[in-house]
Amino acid sequence: MTREAPLEKTKFGLTPATKGWFALNLKDAAWHANEEYGCWAGLEAEDRDDQLGVNVHVLQPGQPACKYHAESQTESFLVLSGEAMLIVEGEERPLKQWDFVHCPPGVHHLFVGSGAGPCAILMIGTRAEGSTLRYPVEPLAAKVGGSSSEDTSDPKVAYAGRGPIEEVASPWPLGD
């Protein structure tokens, strides 16, 4: 029988302390933020061996979620609130609440907040040992600070110069 993971209290919220099942409200979760890339709640234990990664990412208008990239694993996304621009395979696609995006392995993509207020996106990705990433140079993504300066598979190179990631209080509700 799988045990319940205890929730550990941090300065700004709760996070699963170990592997196991858990139930957690996003308002109570520990969130992280970076000035360039928004804020997010990673809904998994640090010492995970799960086959699935899940987070909710909140972006302000014009803010990219990360660097334009492709993974060797499947990822799927659901816009929970607000609006976003998806840059996928070098093309822009506007997204609104309840739009779903599925990216099989190898699909290059980036989400950028758009509209008049914050955008919340549920992000789900498979995890496997030996997974790879690719960060190509992408002109559309570069316009919003979401492109690596060089084609690389090294996240340290892609995110060179990124500011610190800090623990923050939940942004929920998003002003709705």
Side-chain angles (χ1 to χ4, degrees):
M1 181 164 73
T2 302
R3 293 182 182 215
E4 181 176 3
L7 297 176
E8 178 177 83
K9 184 156 180 56
T10 69
K11 183 177 177 183
F12 290 103
L14 300 172
T15 188
T18 63
K19 295 179 251 184
W21 71 267
F22 62 92
L24 177 60
N25 190 293
L26 283 176
K27 292 183 302 192
D28 301 326
W31 286 72
H32 293 86
N34 173 272
E35 189 174 299
E36 296 104 326
Y37 303 108
C39 63
W40 58 92
L43 302 173
E44 53 200 63
E46 288 296 319
D47 65 345
R48 68 180 185 263
D49 63 358
D50 295 333
Q51 297 172 5
L52 196 63
V54 179
N55 74 68
V56 173
H57 207 118
V58 176
L59 302 169
Q60 297 301 320
Q63 196 170 46
C66 57
K67 295 292 187 185
Y68 184 78
H69 69 284
E71 296 194 22
S72 61
Q73 301 295 314
T74 298
E75 294 181 284
S76 292
F77 309 88
L78 178 65
V79 178
L80 300 173
S81 66
E83 298 175 33
M85 180 61 66
L86 168 65
I87 301 174
V88 59
E89 296 298 333
E91 297 180 18
E92 291 182 323
R93 297 285 172 96
L95 301 173
K96 62 186 180 317
Q97 186 175 25
W98 304 124
D99 282 343
F100 178 78
V101 177
H102 175 70
C103 292
V107 173
H108 294 91
H109 60 280
L110 170 67
F111 293 87
V112 182
S114 64
C119 173
I121 304 171
L122 175 65
M123 300 183 167
I124 300 171
T126 54
R127 305 239 190 258
E129 201 171 316
S131 296
T132 60
L133 290 162
R134 180 170 175 264
Y135 302 92
V137 174
E138 168 51 55
L140 287 174
K143 291 179 183 178
V144 295
S147 178
S148 177
S149 61
E150 62 183 86
D151 193 345
T152 184
S153 59
D154 185 348
K156 290 177 183 174
V157 172
Y159 289 97
R162 174 182 67 189
I165 295 173
E166 301 173 335
E167 193 172 351
V168 297
S170 170
W172 230 260
L174 297 175
D176 300 4

